[in-house]
Amino acid sequence: MPEVKLTEEYGFCFGVRRALEIALTNLERGISFDSLGPIIHNEYVVGELRRKGVEVVDSIEQSKKSHVLVRTHGVPPEIYERAKEFGKTIIDCTCPFVAKAQWWAKKFYEEGYVVLVIGTKDHPEVIGIVGQTEGKALVVSSQKELDVSLIRNKRVGVVAQTTSRLDMVEDIMGLLVKEANEVRFANTRCNTTQRRQDEVEELSREVEVMVIVGGKNSSNTRRLYEIASRNCKRAYLIEFPNELMEEWFYNVSTVGVSAGASTPPEIVEEVYKKINILLKGGTYGERKVDEG
Ligand code: SF4
């Protein structure tokens, strides 16, 4: 019998749920606000909020409203200063796990460590973390990106982007331990992310096809897809159920499904349902489903 296996962790993570609750509570109270960047990497959710009047802006000054929402990724300190300057109130949805990474980066910096962030340089979360160090932190995502002369015989304080893969962290820490004088590591990887990555690691080894559901700009979704692709030759990344192709499932008997932290659970469940139908040789959508 063909089988579709869904990881236990899927749907919104704690940080995203919290951000959406804060946003909706403010709307219910009649507070109108804009969002500094999309609240999550999900077109469907961003569209729903837009219908309720929440526009996505690129900067504080671009917003015409009195309140501006800071999303789970957090922002550098100068954004709070800019908000004050422009008389705006910040609705702060920075995920507590991201806030922890910001706190450690600031602490290491103030204690005179060379701060090293393991992550992707241009990711908003990393920009917010680097901002805690007056822009001085080094950012690398692999050993080969690290200029060893900047850490050799130095005291180095390390924080990780919440979504960073364990193997990335281990790879870079290996070099630091060899070259630096002192290394302090604040484990700022997020538990939810770790659990999802572990589940995807395991499931993608077992199945013939692996489908990851989530925003293509979402860092945690992309990491899941990278893990799945390493273990399973037929791994796909989709945002919506209508991207599933019937031919991916011809003569296939096991499929794994997982999703990034900003993917609404109802979309994951729809994908799961659709794959089940396709595996049984049925069709989906406008055409009649034959589950025979
Ligand atoms: S993935 Fe983790 S760090 Fe990111 S928003 Fe969700 S709970 Fe927070």
Side-chain angles (χ1 to χ4, degrees):
M1 267 295 275
E3 192 182 7
V4 189
K5 294 182 180 176
L6 183 58
T7 50
E8 269 178 38
E9 288 269 350
Y10 70 89
F12 294 144
C13 64
F14 153 76
V16 167
R17 267 201 313 273
R18 179 178 171 273
L20 291 173
E21 274 164 25
I22 296 174
L24 294 176
T25 306
N26 276 281
L27 287 173
E28 275 161 25
R29 289 185 183 147
I31 295 168
S32 107
F33 60 88
D34 289 328
S35 173
L36 196 53
I39 186 164
I40 57 172
H41 290 299
N42 187 282
E43 280 304 320
Y44 170 78
V45 175
V46 171
E48 287 291 301
L49 284 175
R50 192 173 297 121
R51 273 187 282 286
K52 294 182 185 349
V54 180
E55 294 298 330
V56 174
V57 291
D58 296 327
S59 64
I60 293 282
E61 43 275 51
Q62 202 187 332
S63 172
K64 304 219 170 8
K65 304 199 179 122
S66 59
H67 289 64
V68 177
L69 180 144
V70 164
R71 56 194 175 163
T72 56
H73 298 318
V75 288
E78 58 264 28
I79 299 293
Y80 294 90
E81 283 154 28
R82 184 102 38 88
K84 215 185 266 174
E85 203 182 304
F86 282 81
K88 311 269 186 203
T89 303
I90 294 279
I91 300 173
D92 199 342
C93 296
T94 307
C95 175
F97 295 130
V98 174
K100 178 179 153 194
Q102 293 181 344
W103 186 87
W104 275 109
K106 188 165 190 279
K107 182 174 165 63
F108 285 145
Y109 181 62
E110 286 172 353
E111 290 181 5
Y113 286 82
V114 171
V115 181
L116 189 137
V117 183
I118 299 176
T120 309
K121 214 175 234 136
D122 56 359
H123 189 279
E125 178 190 321
V126 172
I127 293 171
I129 296 171
V130 171
Q132 311 302 318
T133 65
E134 300 179 310
K136 302 275 172 46
L138 308 171
V139 183
V140 292
S141 61
S142 69
Q143 271 197 13
K144 52 176 197 301
E145 284 177 23
L146 181 58
D147 177 351
V148 178
S149 67
L150 300 175
I151 52 107
R152 183 167 287 141
N153 300 328
K154 300 264 170 58
R155 296 161 70 225
V156 184
V158 187
V159 299
Q161 185 178 348
T162 53
T163 50
S164 41
R165 291 195 329 255
L166 183 59
D167 61 323
M168 268 164 72
V169 174
E170 286 171 343
D171 175 54
I172 294 160
M173 288 303 288
L175 184 60
L176 289 174
V177 167
K178 265 193 244 152
E179 300 287 349
N181 224 359
E182 180 191 336
V183 183
R184 286 187 68 191
F185 172 62
N187 192 358
T188 50
R189 297 176 67 243
C190 154
N191 287 341
T192 311
T193 305
Q194 180 60 59
R195 277 199 302 273
R196 277 179 211 230
Q197 290 181 359
D198 289 349
E199 280 198 81
V200 168
E201 180 80 53
E202 204 173 308
L203 185 57
S204 57
R205 288 178 197 278
E206 281 174 28
V207 293
E208 292 159 86
V209 173
M210 185 78 201
V211 177
I212 304 292
V213 193
K216 299 196 171 114
N217 300 328
S218 154
S219 167
N220 76 82
T221 303
R222 277 206 316 268
R223 298 263 184 270
L224 294 180
Y225 175 64
E226 282 165 19
I227 293 170
S229 313
R230 258 192 339 230
N231 297 330
C232 176
K233 282 200 192 92
R234 294 163 69 186
Y236 301 100
L237 172 58
I238 61 164
E239 196 160 352
F240 296 108
N242 63 6
E243 292 169 55
L244 289 168
M245 310 290 285
E246 289 186 23
E247 56 268 30
W248 295 351
F249 306 102
Y250 291 156
N251 300 321
V252 165
S253 55
T254 50
V255 179
V257 179
S258 190
S262 50
T263 312
E266 55 272 25
I267 291 188
V268 187
E269 283 150 16
E270 193 62 23
V271 167
Y272 176 78
K273 203 165 106 193
K274 182 170 178 179
I275 297 175
N276 262 299
I277 292 170
L278 294 173
L279 270 187
K280 288 176 188 164
T283 54
Y284 185 89
E286 311 76 29
R287 285 176 288 170
K288 196 172 177 299
V289 173
D290 171 17
E291 294 197 54

